Amino acid sequence: MSSSSSHATNPSGTSAFAGLSPVVLAVFLGFLAVSVPLGALSLEVGGNLGFGTIVVGSVIGLQSLATLLTRHQAGTLCDHRGPRRAVLIGLPLAASSGVAYVLSSVLPVDTAGKLAFMIAGRLVMGLGESLFLTGLMSLGIARLGADRTGRVMSWTGIAIYAALGLGAPLGLAAQAAYGFLGVGLVACLTPLLALAIIVRLPPTPAAGGTRVPFHRVLGLIWRPGLVLALAMVPFAVMAAFLPLHYAARGWSDAGIALFGFGAAYVLVRLVAPGLPDRFGATRVAIGSLSFELAGQVLLWLAPTPSTAALGAVLTGLGFSLVFPAMGVLATRSVPPDQRGRAVGNFIAFADIALGVTGPAVGLATQWGGIATAFLVGATATLAALLLLPSMKLGKTS
């Protein structure tokens, strides 16, 4: 694909900020509906309804399963009907998950009935998130041009993690004030606000092209997807095991290390969102993964909490640009008419990593202690680094 054609869908006279800001805001609002119910669901299902931890974990995990299974179809819809169409379907579906939570609170049904509404809400949100996130990322690329894919990936990533960070406390506050009904109302409202933003944007043309089997797209993007999945392992390890590591060592203030990780992640995204586009995705990925590897080794061997906090900061610095760097490689490894499917399948690798890491690392820590979690993170990052030299861009035209 020629350089000129990569700009073909970029609105005339539209700056990067003007083109991307409504998309980023819509991602943030849409993902609030994903994150707001997370903490509240565990309290509602496990506390108020009295179900066990297996049921709690299954209900929460159903969304990720539904999302994973529909990523390719969401990308196909983006390519054939345009990314805006996928968003306009996905956001109302996401809002309907909040409706299911509201119904579980207000209808006179028994605990099994309430659980059924929550399960329905999780499944519908999984499909909705698959559609709106794949669509919004594809829409951002279409509005700015394929040569600024890294910038799109960076800023939408900030919106996702900001929503994940703010959503859980917001959901718990709504639950404390209004019960699970309040959680459902917030989860219903935020996607509708995102929808109000997107309906005002002009549609971008669909890439068209023939239907492509899942395995063919996967064959083109599996290497950057696998690098992303391996790089996600330290992130999942940090979230699940860093507080336990501090507690096992008798250290306090694990929150400082987690804040350092998050602050470093956001800082890099804010000051250098376009590095993969400017200096090359592979080069940026090598530097990023090197920082991430160093951070995980420091956490594994840390003799003091300050050393562990430094490891957390290095991990955040490194992890920050892996997603946009690999996203650039994934989207440029396929023809333009398969870009939506590439985005959907690429994100699915992150879904898999987040779903598998917790149980797998939990088993490892039973054998080697809590610090082993960071050894697993370091090993995964090293594997990602070793995989990079084997990657070659496929033809895009």
Side-chain angles (χ1 to χ4, degrees):
M1 183 176 181
S2 69
S3 176
S4 61
S5 62
S6 71
H7 288 279
T9 58
N10 192 21
S12 177
T14 300
S15 68
F17 177 80
L20 195 54
S21 56
V23 175
V24 171
L25 182 56
V27 170
F28 173 75
L29 291 169
F31 245 84
L32 276 180
V34 174
S35 60
V36 159
L38 290 179
L41 264 173
S42 61
L43 293 177
E44 184 72 11
V45 176
N48 294 340
L49 300 186
F51 291 97
T53 55
I54 294 178
V55 175
V56 172
S58 298
V59 170
I60 292 175
L62 277 175
Q63 178 186 319
S64 296
L65 177 62
T67 301
L68 176 63
L69 293 176
T70 55
R71 287 285 191 201
H72 182 74
Q73 289 76 10
T76 300
L77 179 63
C78 290
D79 290 333
H80 286 273
R81 304 297 296 273
R84 186 172 179 269
R85 174 65 65 88
V87 178
L88 294 181
I89 296 173
L91 288 173
L93 283 173
S96 70
S97 72
V99 174
Y101 300 148
V102 169
L103 292 176
S104 74
S105 300
V106 301
L107 290 182
V109 295
D110 60 12
T111 55
K114 291 180 181 295
L115 182 67
F117 275 109
M118 293 178 186
I119 290 173
R122 299 301 289 165
L123 292 173
V124 171
M125 174 57 84
L127 175 58
E129 190 238 303
S130 183
L131 285 164
F132 81 70
L133 182 59
T134 304
L136 286 170
M137 285 191 170
S138 300
L139 182 62
I141 295 170
R143 285 173 62 81
L144 261 66
D147 62 330
R148 289 189 279 186
T149 295
R151 186 177 296 273
V152 175
M153 293 283 188
S154 291
W155 280 99
T156 53
I158 290 176
I160 289 170
Y161 287 103
L164 289 174
L166 294 175
L170 177 60
L172 293 173
Q175 187 179 36
Y178 304 105
F180 201 66
L181 171 64
V183 176
L185 291 174
V186 174
C188 182
L189 177 62
T190 57
L192 295 180
L193 292 175
L195 185 65
I197 295 171
I198 297 303
V199 294
R200 299 170 62 89
L201 298 181
T204 56
T210 58
R211 292 189 177 275
V212 180
F214 167 76
H215 65 84
R216 187 172 300 174
V217 178
L218 189 65
L220 294 173
I221 61 99
W222 72 267
R223 286 184 177 86
L226 183 56
V227 170
L228 173 66
L230 291 168
M232 290 289 297
V233 171
F235 168 74
V237 164
M238 295 280 294
F241 296 98
L242 185 63
L244 296 176
H245 180 57
Y246 266 63
R249 293 293 186 92
W251 298 339
S252 59
D253 298 325
I256 293 177
L258 288 172
F259 175 79
F261 170 84
Y265 173 92
V266 173
L267 178 64
V268 173
R269 285 286 181 97
L270 288 175
V271 302
L275 282 185
D277 297 324
R278 292 174 56 196
F279 297 106
T282 303
R283 184 181 300 175
V284 170
I286 290 172
S288 297
L289 289 168
S290 299
F291 274 102
E292 194 174 13
L293 174 60
Q296 289 294 285
V297 171
L298 269 182
L299 279 163
W300 173 42
L301 300 174
T304 64
S306 58
T307 307
L310 176 60
V313 169
L314 289 176
T315 301
L317 288 173
F319 176 63
S320 186
L321 290 183
V322 175
F323 180 82
M326 292 300 99
V328 168
L329 289 182
T331 55
R332 293 180 183 174
S333 295
V334 300
D337 63 352
Q338 298 176 25
R339 191 167 290 136
R341 281 158 284 192
V343 170
N345 290 316
F346 174 69
I347 300 172
F349 280 92
D351 298 331
I352 294 170
L354 292 175
V356 170
T357 297
V361 175
L363 289 174
T365 59
Q366 289 184 357
W367 168 74
I370 294 296
T372 307
F374 307 107
L375 176 59
V376 174
T379 303
T381 309
L382 179 60
L385 271 170
L386 295 176
L387 182 61
L388 279 175
S390 70
M391 294 170 56
K392 294 180 180 180
L393 286 177
K395 294 182 180 179
T396 57
S397 61

